[in-house]
Amino acid sequence: DTAVSQTPKYLVTQMGNDKSIKCEQNLGHDTMYWYKQDSKKFLKIMFSYNNKELIINETVPNRFSPKSPDKAHLNLHINSLELGDSAVYFCASSHRGYQPQHFGDGTRLSIL
Amino acid sequence: GESVGLHLPTLSVQEGDNSIINCAYSNSASDYFIWYKQESGKGPQFIIDIRSNMDKRQGQRVTVLLNKTVKHLSLQIAATQPGDSAVYFCAENIRGAQKLVFGQGTRLTINP
């Protein structure tokens, strides 16, 4: 009964490849997010979607393209992977307003 | 062991003692604050939150204090247990921005 689940947990790939990370939440939340956590544990928002509509895009390179087929899913597709993309990517969800976000357990992306 | 997180501020406490983790925030427009706990290999886990119209809120073994005058937030953990070992993050919601901004994180280590 995992609340926010993302797959895969680990992703090892080569520079230049294209990859996707999937996220699903079963909490009935209407807002979903993608975060990037770097090697120093700094956690920064990348995107947020509310009811399938993009509301935050934090100057992320356009190689990153989020897609929300419905309120319960927010996937992240990354084109032409670069070494600097190596990080842990977290999906989160929440209700709108003053509500805490709930996080998945992350996808560790390693670029060779 | 992992090499990430070596630059994180670290707090070491004896098991059974109280812990206080501090956070300074920068934006006077922040109106909602959350503390998260992140264990190794997991996503951030919600601990407690507080709105800016409050200065104190208590949960089970945890208390959050908010001082808006000096833009300071603290998390107090009573009777620290080995399971409290983790990285703790504060996050601020900037009014109107619809996003959380995370602090640097503090690694809490419990000594037996």
Side-chain angles (χ1 to χ4, degrees):
Chain A
D1 58 346
T2 306
V4 181
S5 59
Q6 36 182 129
T7 55
K9 189 168 176 64
Y10 300 96
L11 192 48
V12 182
T13 190
Q14 292 193 323
M15 254 189 345
N17 284 351
D18 304 338
K19 290 293 178 186
S20 292
I21 308 171
K22 295 189 174 185
C23 178
E24 175 182 6
Q25 55 93 6
N26 62 5
L27 295 166
H29 291 157
D30 51 14
T31 306
M32 296 185 72
Y33 312 82
W34 277 109
Y35 286 83
K36 179 179 180 181
Q37 187 172 48
D38 63 20
S39 59
K40 295 181 180 176
K41 294 287 193 182
F42 183 62
L43 197 62
K44 190 174 192 311
I45 190 166
M46 300 172 67
F47 301 103
S48 76
Y49 269 73
N50 178 260
N51 283 323
K52 303 195 298 175
E53 181 183 343
L54 178 68
I55 55 175
I56 291 176
N57 180 341
E58 284 288 295
T59 58
V60 177
N62 57 16
R63 297 184 296 105
F64 291 77
S65 52
K67 284 192 171 48
S68 182
D70 55 59
K71 284 197 315 181
H73 296 84
L74 180 62
N75 304 322
L76 183 64
H77 188 76
I78 316 169
N79 289 329
S80 304
L81 281 156
E82 300 177 358
L83 288 175
D85 297 333
S86 293
V88 182
Y89 292 84
F90 287 99
C91 178
S93 71
S94 73
H95 290 298
R96 287 207 70 169
Y98 299 109
Q99 298 291 331
Q101 295 176 19
H102 296 260
F103 285 77
D105 280 339
T107 296
R108 183 175 291 276
L109 175 63
S110 300
I111 310 301
L112 304 177
Chain B
E2 59 178 47
S3 61
V4 298
L6 283 178
H7 299 287
L8 283 177
T10 299
L11 175 65
S12 293
V13 299
Q14 291 294 124
E15 184 178 347
D17 285 354
N18 296 336
S19 303
I20 300 176
I21 301 171
N22 296 303
C23 179
Y25 65 94
S26 56
N27 199 316
S28 55
S30 295
D31 59 358
Y32 174 57
F33 304 86
I34 308 175
W35 279 101
Y36 284 93
K37 172 187 181 183
Q38 186 178 21
E39 296 174 283
S40 182
K42 297 279 186 73
Q45 178 188 355
F46 169 75
I47 301 173
I48 192 167
D49 58 359
I50 188 167
R51 297 269 309 261
S52 59
N53 58 357
M54 302 172 71
D55 52 23
K56 180 179 180 179
R57 192 160 187 226
Q58 289 185 288
Q60 189 176 14
R61 279 201 311 120
V62 293
T63 301
V64 55
L65 298 177
L66 174 63
N67 185 330
K68 292 181 288 295
T69 303
V70 295
K71 298 201 201 63
H72 184 266
L73 192 67
S74 68
L75 177 71
Q76 300 177 4
I77 306 174
T80 315
Q81 302 168 358
D84 295 329
S85 292
V87 177
Y88 289 80
F89 293 94
C90 64
E92 59 183 302
N93 177 75
I94 301 170
R95 191 185 310 120
Q98 298 183 72
K99 67 178 183 182
L100 285 182
V101 175
F102 279 77
Q104 179 184 21
T106 296
R107 184 178 297 281
L108 178 65
T109 303
I110 313 304
N111 301 318

